[in-house]
Amino acid sequence: MREIKAGLLGFGNIGAGVVKLLHDNEELITKRLGARLVLKWIADIDIQRPRAVPHYEAMLTTNAWDVINDPEVSIIIELIGGYEPAKTFVLAALDQGKQVVTANKALLAVHGNEIFTKAEQMTVNLAYEASVGGTIPIIKTLKESLAANRFKSIMGIINGTSNFILSKMTDEKKDFEPVLREAQMLGFAEADPTFDVEGIDAAHKLTIVLSLAYDIRVDLKDIYREGITAITRQDIDFAQTLGYRIKLLAIARNRGGSIEARIHPTMIPRDELLASVNSNFNALHLSGDAADSVFLYGQGSGMMPTASAVVGDIMDIARDQLKGITCRVPGRSCLETQLREIALLPMEEVVTNYYVRFSALDKPGVLSRISGILGENNISIASVIQQGRTEGGPVPVVMITHKAREADVRKALAAVDNLEVVADKTVLIRMEDDSLP
Amino acid sequence: MREIKAGLLGFGNIGAGVVKLLHDNEELITKRLGARLVLKWIADIDIQRPRAVPHYEAMLTTNAWDVINDPEVSIIIELIGGYEPAKTFVLAALDQGKQVVTANKALLAVHGNEIFTKAEQMTVNLAYEASVGGTIPIIKTLKESLAANRFKSIMGIINGTSNFILSKMTDEKKDFEPVLREAQMLGFAEADPTFDVEGIDAAHKLTIVLSLAYDIRVDLKDIYREGITAITRQDIDFAQTLGYRIKLLAIARNRGGSIEARIHPTMIPRDELLASVNSNFNALHLSGDAADSVFLYGQGSGMMPTASAVVGDIMDIARDQLKGITCRVPGRSCLETQLREIALLPMEEVVTNYYVRFSALDKPGVLSRISGILGENNISIASVIQQGRTEGGPVPVVMITHKAREADVRKALAAVDNLEVVADKTVLIRMEDDSLP
């Protein structure tokens, strides 16, 4: 029986999952592949630390070059994460004509152009299913199954940490800070949660999805990004009253000549499938011109679910190797030279519905002054809620707008916030609801 | 630029969708493939009938052999449906070393062993993504993305017609017969709806899924099958009261040494993702040992959604051809010779929770006699609802059982139905609810 030898860089949680899965399901994998996958090396800066799983037959090393330079190893699995030294190792492996599997979305989002170009020049596979949505087959579905489709829109929950926090805030009526601390204790959030709660991780993943769905090269900086740190229980409560859930959504939409791409907290109707994606689960809702709605859901992180995607990629590459080929499918949607360079639609030109919550002093004429300013800025109001009444203090006034232009909304809110009858900065949460006009 | 030539057998609704998609998205498909897909022939017994789409550059013929025998044509797309002449054409095409794409679940469920064996002998690809769940990438996900997983269970809504009918009965509080007629008028059900409403179509699809998920060969007859024709508004109402929805589910479960496979109306908790799959949508909930829960959702039928899957398959095969290979992935999960022949677990040995509705005469001691019989058969009751009270007539008594063995339940219900205080045959609906003991 033929053997295909792989080497792993990074023996952390996901790395341990890959080692375990290759071992536990070896018989199944061998049968389905018609060949044996052998993990020859594991490299990690700390090989002494006790792991959740033994390393079975793999040799341990602290020197990644032992793995990359071993002529027997044809597949390099990069699970170090971050930019360096992952980038150096991946480029070196590609340079040597090795196939690479990675789960590193930050690396691909920031250095993807260089890395995919190198892989294409060397005619080697670079597989990255685990980089977006963990175990969910998002990359393969976009690149292969739905390859005949133009995508009208893509909406996704692609950061498990922020979804865990928002779900818990909603279900348990808690504030952001204590839920974040709980998520950190449970291992669902990092000690420095910035990448997750500020939408940076989601933006990395959206960058990858955009190239696949729209055949474009995207500059991460062009994606509008807003995290969940400003979301309050009060807005979550209003959302529930109105029949919505607040989710950190990654949104891409084909606007004819240009593409819209943004990450921000979003109100979506409670009966949408995406609204049912709770805890740390991820999901992607694709809308293709032929396929119509396709919804993919699963664990976006975690040791074994992510390992499932990584080993799926290794098997995919092994199938190519067994047939003596590489690059059966381009690294992204098409050849790197054929990806279009386009600027994304500026956020100011996005048109959607808005939830706005004003902190108005309870004085006569306030509502008329606010709605007057909205009207002057071409924003019409679909509904208003004015609840509660605090002795002299500010009263929340919630308005849902008809479709409006982001630039107009920003201008109007700046003017409203300047009114002496408005006590606090107005809160704005964008909505995605096809039923709203 | 290289050209790959395909020929289509069957210019019905789906066939027209494939013709349209290949034409409308030609530029995109060519770019992603790096080659041109040319539809050279279309064969249909009736080529005169006006179609929703023109045939563009394809030649029309009433003789399928013009297509199969054309040496320029390397991919045959079989969209005739049914057993014959589809089977003859598919086997002849494989015999000539042509690659085949089909959406024909009936053919694969009944003659799959012969067809997949032939494809393997001839070393050609047989692709069938459209055969299960229409546009949803179920086949590729099972064969490739999640190939490293053992599946604990698979539950799916894989017949759009019956889901449309059950959804409409639930949402509009209507009976089966008028909703079926409505579905027929809307084109969601055939004039003879037997295949859909009796679960035969779902069983065909489950047969295909079972081979992929469990590396087994399945005899269609071994799959327990029960349709939706006996579902009444009364049971739908009770389900809602109890917090459930009734869905026609295809269920497969790994029971250690054996595999459970069944199609029947099933009560599932309202907050399960599958419970939100309405109208004619399809979905599959996979539970893998590494991947955990993966949920895939989309249009299970329809002209363009199905065409999306068919053209995805054509592109997949074309990618192999462009690299000069075939059979990169086995037709099913592994080589045909390595599929296990196993008998499925007999339905009598299935253990699950049951909803049972008795039609009891309103007389003293009835409840005690019924529950006595259940107890004698090792069935314990989790909850009881006794509602309404008709003058002298029968009263519905609903019980939900703890986990029980199907054989015990059948024996108990036969005994209950023999009681003179029971007016009608007891209704039994199986439940899938992980929260029930």
Side-chain angles (χ1 to χ4, degrees):
Chain A
M1 171 152 308
R2 279 185 67 177
E3 287 193 346
I4 288 177
K5 292 191 176 155
L8 171 64
L9 311 181
F11 198 16
N13 188 38
I14 310 298
V18 169
V19 173
K20 180 172 159 60
L21 185 54
L22 285 173
H23 177 266
D24 290 356
N25 287 1
E26 182 184 350
E27 198 187 333
L28 180 86
I29 292 167
T30 303
K31 184 176 176 184
R32 291 185 173 174
L33 212 52
R36 210 174 147 242
L37 282 182
V38 177
L39 186 65
K40 187 174 174 188
W41 286 102
I42 299 173
D44 196 281
I45 42 167
D46 177 3
I47 52 173
Q48 304 302 332
R49 177 164 52 92
R51 298 316 206 268
V53 294
H55 54 89
Y56 304 108
E57 58 185 331
M59 292 186 287
L60 289 181
T61 176
T62 52
N63 184 356
W65 300 106
D66 287 344
V67 186
I68 297 167
N69 293 331
D70 183 339
E72 275 200 340
V73 170
S74 58
I75 303 176
I76 300 292
I77 308 155
E78 184 276 302
L79 296 173
I80 304 166
Y83 306 115
E84 281 295 355
K87 185 186 170 198
T88 299
F89 293 154
V90 164
L91 287 172
L94 296 173
D95 243 334
Q96 294 201 24
K98 312 243 167 185
Q99 321 295 313
V100 172
V101 176
T102 178
N104 194 332
K105 53 263 179 182
L107 182 64
L108 296 180
V110 174
H111 300 289
N113 294 338
E114 185 179 354
I115 290 169
F116 284 108
T117 301
K118 169 73 74 185
E120 202 164 289
Q121 281 165 353
M122 297 303 300
T123 333
V124 293
N125 289 315
L126 177 83
Y128 52 101
E129 185 62 83
S131 68
V132 182
T135 206
I136 314 169
I138 290 173
I139 306 297
K140 201 181 249 299
T141 295
L142 284 166
K143 272 172 77 163
E144 303 182 32
S145 304
L146 301 184
N149 283 266
R150 290 172 208 279
F151 292 97
K152 296 181 215 170
S153 67
I154 296 176
M155 289 205 271
I157 294 170
I158 49 179
N159 178 269
T161 304
S162 54
N163 199 49
F164 177 86
I165 293 172
L166 288 176
S167 300
K168 230 180 159 59
M169 286 174 72
T170 306
D171 297 339
E172 300 176 10
K173 301 204 173 293
K174 286 183 181 167
D175 288 318
F176 175 79
E177 285 297 340
V179 172
L180 171 62
R181 282 194 297 273
E182 219 176 314
Q184 285 169 324
M185 281 194 303
L186 290 166
F188 286 126
E190 311 270 345
D192 176 358
T194 312
F195 264 47
D196 292 319
V197 300
E198 295 295 357
I200 301 169
D201 175 72
H204 286 153
K205 292 164 178 167
L206 184 57
T207 305
I208 295 170
V209 166
L210 285 165
S211 289
L212 291 172
Y214 298 109
D215 305 7
I216 56 176
R217 237 186 262 273
V218 178
D219 191 330
L220 181 63
K221 293 191 304 296
D222 289 348
I223 296 178
Y224 178 79
R225 183 173 57 71
E226 195 179 299
I228 61 165
T229 53
I231 297 294
T232 62
R233 267 166 65 189
Q234 187 174 24
D235 296 309
I236 288 176
D237 288 346
F238 273 118
Q240 286 197 297
T241 306
L242 292 159
Y244 292 82
R245 303 265 292 184
I246 299 177
K247 295 289 182 187
L248 182 69
L249 285 199
I251 301 170
R253 188 170 273 124
N254 190 347
R255 288 285 188 200
S258 66
I259 305 287
E260 196 180 297
R262 44 196 170 102
I263 312 277
H264 53 66
T266 313
M267 286 201 188
I268 49 176
R270 190 166 31 208
D271 56 358
E272 292 265 325
L273 280 171
L274 278 171
S276 305
V277 177
N278 292 319
S279 186
N280 61 328
F281 276 91
N282 284 18
L284 209 67
H285 197 149
L286 308 158
S287 176
D289 61 349
D292 194 3
S293 272
V294 173
F295 178 83
L296 309 171
Y297 164 100
Q299 291 278 1
S301 56
M303 173 170 159
M304 296 317 291
T306 309
S308 165
V310 171
V311 177
D313 273 351
I314 300 172
M315 291 176 75
D316 223 27
I317 287 177
R319 294 190 205 268
D320 273 12
Q321 288 193 299
L322 293 166
K323 288 287 174 181
I325 63 160
T326 57
C327 297
R328 188 180 155 275
V329 184
R332 295 199 261 194
S333 52
C334 56
L335 292 180
E336 286 297 303
T337 48
Q338 297 205 306
L339 288 171
R340 292 175 298 146
E341 308 270 358
I342 68 157
L344 298 171
L345 190 78
M347 189 63 196
E348 291 72 19
E349 291 173 35
V350 164
V351 172
T352 189
N353 301 94
Y354 293 82
Y355 159 98
V356 278
R357 176 171 55 80
F358 304 100
S359 294
L361 296 185
D362 196 7
K363 293 192 175 162
V366 173
L367 201 60
S368 121
R369 288 181 70 186
I370 291 175
S371 50
I373 291 173
L374 295 183
E376 285 157 26
N377 286 285
N378 312 307
I379 302 160
S380 57
I381 299 158
S383 59
V384 181
I385 303 179
Q386 184 168 344
Q387 268 182 354
R389 193 183 177 99
T390 21
E391 203 66 46
V395 177
V397 177
V398 165
M399 293 185 185
I400 289 176
T401 74
H402 287 289
K403 291 260 184 307
R405 230 174 111 248
E406 175 90 9
D408 293 336
V409 173
R410 290 186 188 177
K411 201 173 147 214
L413 297 199
V416 167
D417 286 353
N418 263 336
L419 296 176
E420 72 288 356
V421 291
V422 168
D424 261 323
K425 194 170 167 353
T426 300
V427 170
L428 168 164
I429 300 177
R430 295 163 196 91
M431 309 180 81
E432 288 292 328
D433 182 350
D434 292 337
S435 72
L436 282 175
Chain B
M1 174 156 299
R2 279 184 68 177
E3 287 192 345
I4 288 177
K5 292 190 176 156
L8 170 64
L9 311 180
F11 197 16
N13 188 39
I14 310 298
V18 170
V19 173
K20 181 172 158 58
L21 185 54
L22 285 172
H23 177 267
D24 290 357
N25 288 0
E26 183 185 349
E27 199 188 330
L28 181 85
I29 292 167
T30 303
K31 184 177 177 184
R32 290 185 174 175
L33 212 51
R36 209 172 149 244
L37 283 181
V38 177
L39 187 65
K40 185 174 176 190
W41 285 103
I42 299 173
D44 196 282
I45 41 167
D46 177 2
I47 52 172
Q48 303 302 330
R49 180 165 50 91
R51 297 319 207 266
V53 292
H55 54 89
Y56 305 107
E57 58 186 331
M59 292 186 288
L60 290 181
T61 177
T62 53
N63 184 355
W65 299 106
D66 287 344
V67 186
I68 297 167
N69 293 331
D70 183 339
E72 275 200 339
V73 170
S74 59
I75 304 176
I76 300 292
I77 308 155
E78 185 276 302
L79 297 173
I80 304 166
Y83 306 115
E84 282 295 351
K87 185 185 171 199
T88 300
F89 293 154
V90 164
L91 286 173
L94 296 173
D95 243 333
Q96 294 201 23
K98 312 242 168 185
Q99 322 294 315
V100 172
V101 176
T102 180
N104 196 332
K105 53 261 182 184
L107 181 65
L108 295 181
V110 174
H111 301 290
N113 294 339
E114 185 179 353
I115 290 169
F116 283 108
T117 301
K118 169 72 76 183
E120 201 164 289
Q121 281 165 354
M122 298 301 302
T123 334
V124 293
N125 289 315
L126 179 82
Y128 52 101
E129 184 63 82
S131 68
V132 182
T135 207
I136 313 169
I138 289 173
I139 307 296
K140 199 180 253 295
T141 294
L142 284 166
K143 273 172 76 164
E144 304 182 31
S145 304
L146 302 183
N149 284 266
R150 291 174 207 278
F151 292 97
K152 296 181 212 168
S153 68
I154 296 176
M155 289 205 269
I157 294 170
I158 50 178
N159 179 268
T161 304
S162 54
N163 199 48
F164 177 87
I165 292 172
L166 289 175
S167 300
K168 229 179 159 59
M169 286 174 71
T170 305
D171 297 337
E172 301 176 11
K173 302 205 171 293
K174 287 182 179 167
D175 287 320
F176 176 77
E177 285 296 338
V179 171
L180 170 61
R181 282 193 299 275
E182 218 176 316
Q184 285 169 323
M185 282 196 300
L186 289 166
F188 286 126
E190 311 269 345
D192 176 359
T194 312
F195 263 47
D196 293 318
V197 299
E198 296 294 359
I200 301 168
D201 174 72
H204 287 153
K205 292 164 178 168
L206 183 57
T207 305
I208 294 170
V209 166
L210 284 165
S211 289
L212 291 172
Y214 297 108
D215 304 9
I216 56 176
R217 238 185 263 273
V218 178
D219 191 331
L220 181 63
K221 294 191 303 295
D222 290 347
I223 296 178
Y224 177 78
R225 182 173 56 70
E226 196 178 298
I228 61 165
T229 54
I231 297 295
T232 62
R233 267 166 63 188
Q234 188 173 24
D235 295 310
I236 288 176
D237 287 346
F238 273 119
Q240 286 196 297
T241 307
L242 292 158
Y244 292 83
R245 304 263 293 182
I246 300 177
K247 295 288 181 188
L248 182 69
L249 284 199
I251 300 169
R253 189 169 274 125
N254 190 347
R255 287 285 188 201
S258 67
I259 306 287
E260 197 181 296
R262 43 196 171 103
I263 312 276
H264 53 66
T266 313
M267 283 200 190
I268 49 175
R270 192 168 27 211
D271 57 357
E272 292 265 323
L273 279 171
L274 278 171
S276 305
V277 177
N278 292 317
S279 186
N280 61 327
F281 276 91
N282 284 19
L284 211 66
H285 197 148
L286 308 157
S287 176
D289 60 351
D292 194 2
S293 271
V294 174
F295 178 83
L296 310 171
Y297 164 100
Q299 291 279 1
S301 56
M303 175 170 157
M304 297 316 294
T306 310
S308 166
V310 171
V311 177
D313 273 352
I314 300 171
M315 292 175 74
D316 223 25
I317 287 178
R319 294 190 205 268
D320 273 12
Q321 287 193 300
L322 292 166
K323 288 287 174 182
I325 63 161
T326 57
C327 297
R328 188 180 155 277
V329 184
R332 295 199 259 194
S333 51
C334 57
L335 292 181
E336 286 297 305
T337 47
Q338 297 205 306
L339 288 171
R340 292 174 298 146
E341 309 269 359
I342 68 157
L344 298 171
L345 190 78
M347 189 62 197
E348 292 71 18
E349 291 173 33
V350 164
V351 172
T352 188
N353 301 93
Y354 294 82
Y355 159 99
V356 278
R357 176 170 55 78
F358 303 101
S359 294
L361 297 184
D362 195 7
K363 292 190 174 162
V366 173
L367 201 61
S368 121
R369 290 182 68 186
I370 290 174
S371 50
I373 291 173
L374 295 182
E376 285 158 23
N377 286 284
N378 313 307
I379 301 160
S380 59
I381 299 160
S383 59
V384 180
I385 303 181
Q386 186 167 342
Q387 268 181 354
R389 194 183 177 100
T390 24
E391 202 66 46
V395 177
V397 176
V398 166
M399 291 183 185
I400 289 177
T401 74
H402 286 289
K403 291 260 183 306
R405 229 173 112 250
E406 175 92 8
D408 293 335
V409 173
R410 289 185 189 178
K411 200 173 149 216
L413 297 199
V416 168
D417 287 352
N418 263 337
L419 297 176
E420 72 288 354
V421 290
V422 168
D424 262 322
K425 194 172 170 349
T426 299
V427 170
L428 168 165
I429 300 177
R430 296 164 193 89
M431 308 179 81
E432 287 293 330
D433 182 349
D434 292 337
S435 72
L436 282 174

